[in-house]
Amino acid sequence: MWGIEAELSYHRSLKSGGSALLNLAYSRQLGDVDKLSDNVAEALRRRALGADLIYMRPHQVKSQIVYKQPVLRLASLPGFSGARIVASASYVYEKGGYWGLGDVVETPVDETNPAERVKRLNARLALKTDHWSVSLNGTNITDEAYHIWNDDPEPATEWRSVTPEYWFFEFNYRLR
């Protein structure tokens, strides 16, 4: 397996006293099966040697944007020192890859199931102070679903391979 990754990060202070941060990364990876244990069945050996590595995404893009803004009116209240609003979002896009190792030679079994594209958006909105924070968090907020299929007609089975959309509140308090 081999890969390469390029990352870009940009930070900007805003006139309002806030700041914005943008991170962007692209990675490319490839690999194939070149060695198997001696106790692997012959049918698996025939289809696995030389097959693309399963569950590996050849193309990945990941990005994040974070916006921070001080809330001056709140900062003067007791318990609100250093008050700031923080909004962030992250996006993941993955393309390519396979769920199986390939055809079973001399049989009708085809396990070359292409992996579906992954698109996942997460978001967070928080009020942070020097001692505590409260936030609303969303994971997979567009509720994208990715599936692994079992091609056997009886029974046709489907597994959801990522967490569905969910939202949650989080409260943190620092004792120091």
Side-chain angles (χ1 to χ4, degrees):
M1 179 176 176
W2 67 270
I4 187 168
E5 180 171 308
E7 295 182 30
L8 172 70
S9 185
Y10 177 75
H11 181 266
R12 175 142 182 132
S13 295
L14 306 173
K15 290 179 183 177
S16 64
S19 64
L21 172 69
L22 172 67
N23 293 316
L24 181 64
Y26 170 78
S27 65
R28 172 85 167 121
Q29 50 271 338
L30 290 172
D32 58 53
V33 178
D34 64 358
K35 191 184 326 181
L36 296 168
S37 173
D38 292 336
N39 63 351
V40 172
E42 188 58 34
L44 176 58
R45 182 176 301 284
R46 286 193 304 253
R47 75 176 184 258
L49 285 174
D52 290 336
L53 294 176
I54 60 173
Y55 301 111
M56 183 186 64
R57 302 293 190 149
H59 302 278
Q60 293 183 343
V61 175
K62 295 181 180 183
S63 62
Q64 179 184 35
I65 187 165
V66 179
Y67 171 75
K68 295 180 183 180
Q69 179 64 51
V71 185
L72 300 177
R73 288 184 183 173
L74 285 177
S76 62
L77 297 174
F80 282 83
S81 65
R84 60 202 175 280
I85 296 290
V86 178
S88 65
S90 62
Y91 181 75
V92 173
Y93 177 83
E94 299 174 334
K95 179 182 172 188
Y98 294 93
W99 296 126
L101 288 172
D103 294 341
V104 179
V105 180
E106 300 171 5
T107 73
V109 178
D110 178 12
E111 290 187 354
T112 311
N113 299 321
E116 293 186 51
R117 289 184 181 159
V118 171
K119 296 177 282 184
R120 192 168 44 253
L121 179 62
N122 302 323
R124 179 178 187 162
L125 180 62
L127 173 61
K128 293 185 170 193
T129 71
D130 291 341
H131 296 287
W132 59 268
S133 68
V134 63
S135 63
L136 172 63
N137 303 283
T139 300
N140 193 15
I141 63 175
T142 55
D143 200 25
E144 295 287 335
Y146 317 100
H147 300 89
I148 301 172
W149 294 93
N150 177 353
D151 287 336
D152 295 334
E154 297 292 330
T157 308
E158 176 182 338
W159 297 274
R160 184 175 179 128
S161 60
V162 297
T163 306
E165 171 188 13
Y166 71 97
W167 294 86
F168 61 96
F169 283 100
E170 182 178 352
F171 177 77
N172 293 297
Y173 185 81
R174 282 193 352 214
L175 296 174
R176 289 186 170 186

